[in-house]
Amino acid sequence: MIHVYCMPGMAASPAIFEYIKLPKENFELHFLEWNIPTKGVTFKAYAKNMCSKIQHENVVLLGVSLGGLLVQEMTKFIDVRKVIIISSVKTRYELPKRMLFARYTSVHKLLPTGLVNNVELLAKYAFGESVTKRLSLYEKYLSVRDKSYIDWSINELVNWKQEVPCDKLIHIQGEKDTVFPIDNISNYISVPNGTHTMIIHRAKWFNENLPTIILE
């Protein structure tokens, strides 16, 4: 049995994985959740703490967006069978220019994150798209609405220092991802018409392809 631990993206709940179904004879899915970071905690320390929730050996870590960065940090503390990142980046060099600009200017600290209860705005940050038509849907997926967590997440994202991709990594990226555009990204499996929220909207693709990707 292969145990797959799934980490959602920024502000998102494990509900984003609700349509992911892998053959039960081979795989068991486990869902990790964001908790509010203690004041001053580093991304690395947060990742080490998250490792305490892994209850099996030789697991697959699967992370979406910011969760993709987190699972890569987790591999610095535990041995894994494979790391799969979705709608994410492998190194700081794959971050888009606007995020690099934020790193050097700290402009991200001026974002109105106090409005985290405004789901439409939060979805713009977390999913990179306007969600007026699907607001009730996103209220279900975006469960972490704490200002200190959002500030911390954005800060850790733009200041991520990863220089080289971690071992045993598979990167799956949507062709139409506007948060992490493919222009900056190399060595990935492309999902045609995939957006930043493809783990929800293209679940069929993942259900068809993930078993092979994991077992390869």
Side-chain angles (χ1 to χ4, degrees), residues 128-191:
E129 54 186 71
S130 181
V131 297
T132 324
K133 293 178 189 163
R134 297 187 289 224
L135 211 50
S136 58
L137 181 75
Y138 285 108
E139 284 185 332
K140 176 172 72 171
Y141 293 131
L142 291 167
S143 63
V144 191
R145 299 187 200 164
D146 179 273
K147 179 181 179 342
S148 64
Y149 161 80
I150 300 292
D151 288 340
W152 176 84
S153 295
I154 293 170
N155 191 58
E156 294 301 330
L157 172 62
V158 302
N159 289 295
W160 195 46
K161 293 182 169 60
Q162 184 98 326
E163 293 278 332
V164 292
C166 68
D167 294 336
K168 303 177 183 173
L169 182 134
I170 304 289
H171 187 171
I172 304 173
Q173 199 70 8
E175 287 180 354
K176 295 187 175 174
D177 193 312
T178 56
V179 176
F180 299 121
I182 56 171
D183 309 353
N184 298 331
I185 293 172
S186 58
N187 300 324
Y188 62 92
I189 297 169
S190 177
V191 179

Side-chain angles (χ1 to χ4, degrees), residues 38-101:
T38 53
K39 194 167 175 61
V41 72
T42 64
F43 201 49
K44 193 171 185 177
Y46 190 95
K48 185 177 184 181
N49 186 50
M50 189 64 74
C51 289
S52 65
K53 299 181 180 176
I54 306 296
Q55 305 293 321
H56 303 89
E57 299 287 320
N58 202 32
V59 301
V60 173
L61 293 178
L62 183 152
V64 175
S65 193
L66 183 66
L69 276 61
L70 188 70
V71 296
Q72 291 174 75
E73 290 293 326
M74 290 168 69
T75 67
K76 295 168 184 175
F77 303 102
I78 56 171
D79 291 325
V80 298
R81 178 190 181 108
K82 199 163 274 187
V83 185
I84 298 171
I85 64 169
I86 296 164
S87 309
S88 191
V89 294
K90 299 183 285 296
T91 69
R92 66 191 186 96
Y93 302 110
E94 292 188 340
L95 289 168
K97 285 189 175 64
R98 70 178 186 280
M99 290 186 190
L100 298 177
F101 175 74

